[in-house]
Amino acid sequence: MERPFDPTATAAWQRLAGHARALAERRIADLFAADPARAERYSLEVAGIFLDYSKNLVTDGVLADLFALAEAAQLDAWRQALFRGEPINESEGRAVLHPALRATAADLEADGLAALAGPLAAQREAFLAAAEAVRTGTWRGVTGAPFRDLVHLGIGGSELGPKLVWEALGEGRAQGPRLHFVANADGEALPAVLAGLDPARTLVVVVSKSFTTPETALNAELAARWLADGLGLREPTASPHFTAVTAADERARAQGYAPERIFAFPEGVGGRFSLWSAVGFSLAAALGRAPFEALLAGARAMDRHFREAPLGRNLPVLLASLGVWYNAFFGAAVRAVVPYGERLRRLPEHLQQLEMESNGKGVTRDGRPVHWPTGQVVLGGVGTAAQHSFFQLLHQGTRFVPVDLIGVVESSGADLRQRRFLLANLIAQARALMSGDSDPALPPHRRQPGNRPSNVLLLTRLAPETLGALIALYEHRVFVEGVLLGINSFDQWGVELGKRLARQLLAGEESESWDPSTRALLARLPGG
Ligand code: F6P
């Protein structure tokens, strides 16, 4: 694969720039008038997800050149390298293994990863069997009581995916133990959760790929103290009330965790892609094995689609290409993601990490500064509440913000009237963003320019399979976007400096070289 890839040097990019100039004068609404079949042609359904991308400022010519860009970027070769477990995360010298977590043994073998099939299946079986043991009460606390509450301690990718799925599918519905998430080490979040719990019936699940993340370590320490006080345990982490999920098994052992209660996953699984691994242990325990496996099956269906569908009928390719189109040629630094329905309220937060930690990069794979825009800022909220807050800017502001509107057609929790209300609002917003309202009878402050693009994604129902497919869709969207932009989507070096400085500040390594502002702020640190 050609490594230094400069998308702007491709003929496709130059043609896209030309299209963008020509389309500056066109309106999306006119594109519909010119092509009565547009809505039908620019929509497709895959794995329980219907995508209507017809309300975008694109023509067949634009799409053809976006796909030409994908070809110039050697998307096909990169995609094969991803699924074959080649070390495409070059700055960390690692393969990218999240698709392997949900692949069948036959898929892995076909991709030359037969050697991985056994270890991956063993890791999966270990945490799924343990999750069932928690559910059925075979794995119990020291008093012999089964667990009623699971406290999942983790941050970033070690929290957001499982929390999204739990709130979408489990919360208030699942029959198993209750699941609580604590990420922040602010000293308030964990005590607020523990206050309502019985230590004898609580299992603490410490989730950290590196097992060095201070927020998670601080919370684990607090939880250990709470268990020690409540149950008189001398070594809480060694007790059946504590379990670790990590890719650094030796660190967990060194902290006293019992080896049989440490669930591992491979280094090659990035935190923000780790939901499918043992990071989903507490989720599987609370939700049940079958729903968790259905989640994996949904993601697998999206993997297959991504590998097999031609570019023009390929959901991740379409969404990523549209993202690059607006970002590069229309200055769309921000994209909004708005799920309609409270059960999907964590999706924007999950996508913020997934997209911004992956594609918020300033250098190409070979380390040269990029001179084209990379990852977009992801803005998000839940519909319809978001309509009553930031949508004003989307409709009349001076920023150009493309929107993904995500709805659920069947939803068991709500009555028909509410479901219709939500979906009608979603559809109305897509229409309003596109058509605007330029009635000359209106005063200027009431007119809406319109011509603002949106994708509508409708899930047939909020089920494990469709949710798995939706999350995998956005994972592959990130990957394709990274390939088109010539960057490595799988490292995150930008988060390191701040962590290091915080460590130094806390260790009292005051440095004369620090600026006066930092020194003055430091003087305000509690405890001197
Ligand atoms: O600081 C960023 C990050 O490294 C994320 O990439 C990761 O998901 C999160 O921290 C948590 O890391 P860990 O799972 O190692 O505790």
Side-chain angles (χ1 to χ4, degrees):
M1 269 151 349
E2 186 202 342
R3 243 134 254 265
F5 175 66
D6 176 347
T8 66
T10 62
W13 190 277
Q14 300 312 322
R15 291 197 299 273
L16 286 166
H19 288 301
R21 281 190 296 275
L23 278 165
E25 308 300 321
R26 303 284 299 273
R27 293 190 61 86
I28 305 169
D30 297 339
L31 300 173
F32 276 95
D35 176 7
R38 182 178 172 90
E40 200 186 315
R41 290 200 307 115
Y42 285 7
S43 58
L44 70 162
E45 183 160 353
V46 176
I49 303 170
F50 174 76
L51 168 69
D52 175 353
Y53 61 100
S54 62
K55 293 193 186 73
N56 278 290
L57 196 52
V58 290
T59 58
D60 289 353
V62 171
L63 291 171
D65 282 324
L66 285 168
F67 305 144
L69 177 65
E71 266 159 34
Q74 297 182 287
L75 174 62
D76 189 35
W78 282 104
R79 184 172 47 187
Q80 287 191 37
L82 167 73
F83 284 100
R84 287 186 185 152
E86 290 170 27
I88 58 171
N89 175 2
E90 288 162 324
S91 72
E92 296 182 320
R94 285 180 192 153
V96 172
L97 293 178
H98 58 275
L101 294 172
R102 55 223 186 191
T104 62
D107 289 340
L108 292 171
E109 196 174 329
D111 283 322
L113 295 177
L116 262 187
L120 286 183
Q123 287 181 346
R124 186 166 56 230
E125 190 47 40
F127 81 82
L128 287 178
E132 279 308 283
V134 171
R135 272 178 85 71
T136 54
T138 326
W139 174 352
R140 291 165 178 244
V142 289
T143 66
F147 296 120
R148 190 184 53 197
D149 292 282
L150 305 185
V151 179
H152 178 121
L153 305 180
I155 198 163
S158 290
E159 187 215 22
L160 294 168
K163 189 159 73 174
L164 157 64
V165 178
W166 170 246
E167 292 181 5
L169 302 175
E171 193 179 52
R173 281 187 185 167
Q175 301 298 315
R178 300 178 300 195
L179 187 47
H180 314 267
F181 292 89
V182 181
N184 209 347
D186 66 344
E188 306 268 354
L190 182 61
V193 166
L194 296 181
L197 309 188
D198 172 4
R201 305 193 62 189
T202 300
L203 174 64
V204 178
V205 185
V206 181
V207 185
S208 175
K209 178 179 169 184
S210 60
F211 232 70
T212 58
T213 301
E215 290 87 339
T216 305
L218 275 168
N219 278 329
E221 250 178 72
L222 266 186
R225 215 174 308 142
W226 176 77
L227 277 167
D229 293 348
L231 297 172
L233 299 175
R234 285 189 35 236
E235 284 185 276
T237 53
S239 81
H241 291 264
F242 252 91
T243 173
V245 175
T246 183
D249 161 85
E250 68 298 340
R251 292 205 180 104
R253 284 176 192 237
Q255 290 177 30
Y257 289 80
E260 69 276 17
R261 285 190 290 273
I262 301 174
F263 301 108
F265 62 100
E267 272 286 350
V269 174
R272 52 196 178 273
F273 302 93
S274 64
L275 158 68
W276 326 98
S277 71
V279 167
F281 162 74
S282 59
L283 181 64
L287 216 52
R289 180 178 181 132
F292 190 85
E293 286 181 334
L295 189 79
L296 298 183
R300 185 160 59 241
M302 186 54 67
D303 292 341
R304 293 223 169 105
H305 164 75
F306 174 49
R307 299 185 75 165
E308 289 164 10
L311 300 183
R313 304 296 293 168
N314 194 307
L315 283 188
V317 173
L318 283 164
L319 291 186
S321 301
L322 289 165
V324 170
W325 167 241
Y326 294 124
N327 191 6
F329 301 102
F330 293 81
V334 181
R335 193 174 106 255
V337 178
V338 185
Y340 276 67
E342 289 298 310
R343 286 204 169 268
L344 285 175
R345 66 185 175 276
R346 297 290 173 187
L347 183 67
E349 214 177 331
H350 178 66
L351 295 186
Q352 278 171 344
Q353 189 202 16
L354 183 64
E355 297 195 17
M356 294 162 75
E357 197 167 64
S358 298
N359 289 345
K361 304 289 163 64
V363 296
T364 58
R365 277 187 219 99
D366 63 325
R368 295 174 211 210
V370 297
H371 55 87
W372 51 92
T374 59
Q376 291 173 300
V377 174
V378 179
L379 164 72
V382 175
T384 63
Q387 292 175 197
H388 301 275
S389 70
F390 63 78
F391 267 56
Q392 163 62 35
L393 183 147
L394 305 188
H395 288 294
Q396 284 188 316
T398 55
R399 310 271 168 202
F400 180 77
V401 183
V403 191
D404 284 358
L405 300 162
I406 300 164
V408 179
V409 180
E410 295 293 334
S411 101
S412 51
D415 71 20
L416 182 63
R417 214 171 113 237
Q418 286 169 314
R419 271 160 36 205
R420 283 174 56 80
F421 175 82
L422 271 188
L423 272 192
N425 268 277
L426 181 159
I427 296 164
Q429 289 300 321
R431 163 83 191 161
L433 285 162
M434 176 183 77
S435 64
D437 190 354
S438 53
D439 183 346
L442 288 173
H445 62 269
R446 294 196 55 181
R447 288 184 209 148
Q448 293 190 207
N451 216 26
R452 311 220 160 168
S454 63
N455 291 310
V456 171
L457 293 104
L458 298 180
L459 310 192
T460 36
R461 66 184 60 79
L462 192 50
E465 291 86 349
T466 44
L467 185 59
L470 182 72
I471 297 171
L473 163 60
Y474 278 103
E475 288 181 351
H476 292 316
R477 181 199 185 284
V478 157
F479 169 66
V480 175
E481 188 178 74
V483 170
L484 300 190
L485 297 172
I487 56 177
N488 177 1
S489 300
F490 300 110
D491 59 8
Q492 58 286 316
W493 296 102
V495 299
E496 294 305 323
L497 175 60
K499 289 189 200 172
R500 194 172 76 229
L501 289 181
R503 267 199 308 273
Q504 291 173 353
L505 294 178
L506 284 169
E509 288 174 24
E510 218 175 315
S511 163
E512 283 307 304
S513 65
W514 284 346
D515 60 276
S517 159
T518 304
R519 286 207 304 273
L521 288 169
L522 208 47
R524 293 171 181 265
L525 204 65

